[in-house]
Amino acid sequence: MSRLFHDRAFLRRVSLLAAALGTLTIAGCGPTQTALEVEQPEGWADDLALVEAEDLNPDPGIVEIELEARITDLELIPGKKTPVWTYNGSLPGPLIRAKVGDRIIVRFKNSLPQATSIHWHGMRLPNNMDGVPGLTQDPIPAGGEFVYDFVAKDAGTFWYHPHINSAAQVGWGLYGPLVVEDPEDPKVFGDELVLVLSDIALDEEGQFLPEDTGGEFGDLFGREGNVLLVNGKVRPTLKVRQGKQQRWRVINAARARYYTLRLPDHTFVKLGGDNGLAERSQEVARIVLVPGERADFVFTPSNPPGTSTFMQWIPTERGFGSVFNRPRENMLEIVTVDADPVIPEPIPVELRKIERIDVADAKELTLDLTIETQSTARAKEVVMGINGIPYWDSKPIEIRLGETHIWNIVNDTAFAHPFHLHGYFFQVLDDTRIPEWKDTVDVPAESSLRIAVRFDERPGMWMFHCHILDHADSGMMGHLWVADEGETHPPHVELIH
Ligand code: C2O
Ligand code: CU
C-alpha cells in the first residue's frame, strides 16, 4: 500500500479537510463524497477557456485543422488594443487535441508580414515536418502556405511556435498548446486543465516595446515581458471545490522567463512533464518550468469553501540579477466555491516503466554553452554559441542512424540555459531524479549535466539550442545530422535563424 499511494499526502489532505471543517468534524459529519463522485464547480474553467482547434476530418483517427498566422487586435490590458501575432486570431493559439496514434494534419497559412514556420516542440515526427527553415523546409513567406502532416507517436503535453526570428515572433504571441492524450490514464488524476504561461512586453498604451529592448544586456539576460499571461489573460480566475482534484498540464511558452509556481498551503503531485508520465509521481512544494518545458501534475484544492487565494510566480535563480529585488507576482486567482468539501482520491505512485537507455556503447561528446562579447566596427556584440561557435558558423554533429550518445552539457557562463533537443527524447543521467523522458532541461549557471539519447530512427537534420530565445537568436544553437544507412554526405542546409 505505501508504495502504491501517497499515504502521507493523503492523510495530510484529510487532516487539512478536518481542520477546515472544525466543529463539524467533531460532530461527526466530515466529507462523505469522494472527488470522483462530484463535478467541478459550474463554469470552473470558463475564464481560462482555450479556443479548441476544430477537427475538419470525420475520420476518428485523423485530426485535421486549419491554422492561419495573422495579426489580430486583442485587449490584453483594459481599454487598450494590442496588435498580437496570433494563430487563428487567439492568444494562445488554438488547443490541438489528439490521442496517441492519431494522424495530425495542419493546413497552415502565413498571413503575417514576414516569413515564419511552425515547429512542433517535443514531437517525435519525420524530419521534414519539424518546421526549421533552412534545415527541414523553406521559410514560409508572407502569404505562403504549408501542410504539416505527422503521427502523434507519444502521449504528452507539447506546444507549437515559429522557428525563425523566434524571440520576436514568440514574444509577439505566436504559440499554442498541443495535447496528446493516453486514453488509459487513470481517472483519479482529475479533470484536465491546460495552462499556457507566457509574458508579453507592452507599454502603457498596449503597444509592443521594441524587440531589441535593452540591447546587449537584453540579449544576455533574455527579454522577459512585463505583463504575465495565463492562457492569454492577466490574472484570470479558476473556480475549485475543496478536495476535488484537477490535472494541470502547464506549458512555459515565454521567450525567456522561468516560472516557479507556488500556491500557499498547497503541495502538488507531479505526474511528469515534457513527454508523458514519469516513472513515479512525486509530491512537490513548487513547480519549476524553464522556457519550453512542460509539467503535468495533480492539484488538490485544500482551502475552505468561500475563500480565495493566488497562484504565485516566484523569481527563479537563473543567473545575474534574476532574483535580486524582484517581487512575487500573482498569476491566477483560485476561488474555492461554497460547496461541501470532498475526499481527494489517492494518486498512484507507480505510473509507468521507463526503460533506461543502454549507454554501454554510447559515444560521448561535450557541448559547451558559450557566451563571448565581440567588438565589431559597429558596436559591442554578444555572440553566443556551442563550443564557442555561433549557429551560423556551425558544422553538424555527424551521427549514424542507430547510435546512442551521451552528451555532457557544460555551462560555465553566469546564466542558466534551458537546453532543448529536437526530434528525440533524452534521459538525464542523474540518479537523484525520477526517471522520465524529456526534450528540454535546465542547465543552471556554472554547472553541467549529462543526457543520454538514442538516435534510432527518423534520420535528417535536427536542431538543439538554448530555449531562452534571445540566446538562441544570439547564436546558442547547433545542428546534428543523423545519417541514414548508405548516406555519406550531409544534405545542403542554410543556417538561417
Ligand atoms: Cu521550442 Cu527549437 O524549439
Ligand atoms: Cu541560454
Side-chain angles (χ1 to χ4, degrees):
M1 183 77 177
S2 63
R3 278 190 64 75
L4 283 175
F5 294 99
H6 281 278
D7 280 354
R8 254 183 332 131
F10 179 60
L11 289 175
R12 214 179 61 85
R13 276 183 212 117
V14 173
S15 57
L16 273 174
L17 279 175
L21 283 165
T23 51
L24 275 180
T25 310
I26 294 160
C29 358
T32 50
Q33 284 178 300
T34 65
L36 281 183
E37 290 171 335
V38 301
E39 304 280 306
Q40 296 289 350
E42 178 84 27
W44 63 295
D46 283 2
D47 202 27
L48 289 156
L50 291 164
V51 175
E52 300 231 4
E54 189 194 348
D55 181 2
L56 303 166
N57 195 310
D59 186 328
I62 302 179
V63 175
E64 183 167 354
I65 66 160
E66 281 171 359
L67 214 53
E68 182 191 21
R70 59 168 186 260
I71 296 177
T72 308
D73 278 342
L74 295 177
E75 187 175 319
L76 300 180
I77 51 180
K80 309 289 174 192
K81 291 261 178 282
T82 302
V84 183
W85 288 42
T86 71
Y87 293 111
N88 290 0
S90 73
L91 181 72
L95 168 61
I96 304 172
R97 204 180 262 289
K99 296 180 301 313
V100 187
D102 280 354
R103 177 174 165 201
I104 298 176
I105 304 171
V106 179
R107 305 193 171 281
F108 176 65
K109 180 166 194 321
N110 178 13
S111 302
L112 300 168
Q114 57 178 244
T116 192
S117 73
I118 305 184
H119 168 60
W120 308 93
H121 183 122
M123 299 290 286
R124 296 198 298 165
L125 33 63
N127 190 249
N128 61 350
M129 292 292 128
D130 199 42
V132 180
L135 234 52
T136 72
Q137 68 170 101
D138 290 331
I140 305 164
E145 296 183 8
F146 193 87
V147 179
Y148 292 95
D149 186 344
F150 51 86
V151 170
K153 284 161 61 94
D154 306 281
T157 309
F158 305 95
W159 64 297
Y160 55 95
H161 63 78
H163 222 286
I164 182 167
N165 195 18
S166 321
Q169 292 195 359
V170 170
W172 294 328
L174 287 172
Y175 41 80
L178 194 177
V179 170
V180 183
E181 295 172 350
D182 181 349
E184 314 273 272
D185 278 353
K187 289 262 174 307
V188 295
F189 292 166
D191 301 287
E192 187 184 285
L193 185 65
V194 177
L195 295 177
V196 181
L197 309 181
S198 61
D199 60 13
I200 200 158
L202 302 178
D203 66 17
E204 276 118 58
E205 293 307 306
Q207 301 306 298
F208 288 121
L209 296 171
E211 63 200 85
D212 56 356
T213 312
E216 191 190 349
F217 187 76
D219 287 333
L220 265 176
F221 189 73
R223 294 173 179 87
E224 294 184 11
N226 53 342
V227 177
L228 285 184
L229 299 173
V230 181
N231 288 359
K233 287 195 167 175
V234 178
R235 239 169 288 111
T237 303
L238 172 71
K239 289 191 221 164
V240 303
R241 177 168 179 173
Q242 189 183 353
K244 173 70 178 163
Q245 285 143 318
Q246 304 184 353
R247 176 184 189 175
W248 287 17
R249 292 177 182 266
V250 187
I251 300 164
N252 181 353
R255 74 189 254 184
R257 184 184 287 263
Y258 278 43
Y259 285 80
T260 298
L261 306 181
R262 175 176 173 270
L263 187 60
D265 305 319
H266 285 71
T267 56
F268 309 104
V269 177
K270 188 149 187 222
L271 302 173
D274 293 353
N275 312 120
L277 301 177
E279 194 162 76
R280 299 187 301 279
S281 65
Q282 184 189 25
E283 188 178 354
V284 295
R286 292 168 176 208
I287 299 283
V288 181
L289 286 149
V290 303
E293 200 177 26
R294 289 85 71 205
D296 186 352
F297 59 90
V298 177
F299 161 48
T300 307
S302 64
N303 284 344
T307 59
S308 113
T309 184
F310 282 97
M311 176 72 76
Q312 294 173 325
W313 173 87
I314 311 275
T316 316
E317 179 54 67
R318 63 173 184 87
F320 183 73
S322 49
V323 296
F324 179 71
N325 230 343
R326 298 189 73 188
R328 302 176 164 194
E329 287 189 53
N330 291 335
M331 287 179 49
L332 170 66
E333 183 171 19
I334 296 178
V335 174
T336 311
V337 298
D338 237 324
D340 289 340
V342 295
I343 303 165
E345 304 290 339
I347 306 300
V349 170
E350 306 293 337
L351 298 177
R352 71 161 160 164
K353 189 84 203 112
I354 304 270
E355 176 217 343
R356 304 297 189 277
I357 293 179
D358 178 0
V359 291
D361 297 315
K363 290 202 170 170
E364 293 208 31
L365 51 112
T366 294
L367 301 183
D368 206 345
L369 310 174
T370 48
I371 300 180
E372 279 151 32
T373 315
Q374 292 180 350
S375 299
T376 64
R378 277 182 299 128
K380 276 231 303 228
E381 211 189 333
V382 174
V383 176
M384 305 199 182
I386 313 269
N387 296 339
I389 302 166
Y391 179 59
W392 42 89
D393 291 335
S394 67
K395 296 261 175 308
I397 297 172
E398 296 199 3
I399 299 167
R400 306 300 317 175
L401 189 65
E403 279 178 14
T404 297
H405 281 213
I406 292 175
W407 287 1
N408 184 24
I409 305 170
V410 178
N411 177 8
D412 288 329
T413 74
F415 295 90
H417 302 289
F419 182 85
H420 171 49
L421 172 65
H422 286 209
Y424 302 88
F425 299 166
F426 56 75
Q427 291 175 358
V428 180
L429 298 175
D430 173 355
D431 290 338
T432 66
R433 300 180 189 225
I434 292 179
E436 63 176 327
W437 292 106
K438 290 195 64 65
D439 56 63
T440 307
V441 67
D442 190 36
V443 190
E446 315 282 349
S447 79
S448 68
L449 56 78
R450 286 167 15 111
I451 62 171
V453 201
R454 213 159 38 199
F455 297 99
D456 51 351
E457 47 169 25
R458 295 168 299 110
M461 283 284 185
W462 301 96
M463 291 209 74
F464 51 89
H465 58 89
C466 175
H467 220 290
I468 290 178
L469 296 174
D470 298 281
H471 290 183
D473 283 2
S474 303
M476 199 177 280
M477 301 197 282
H479 62 304
L480 60 91
W481 174 46
V482 178
D484 207 350
E485 269 165 65
E487 261 189 305
T488 50
H489 292 292
H492 174 75
V493 294
E494 247 179 290
L495 304 181
I496 41 186
H497 66 107

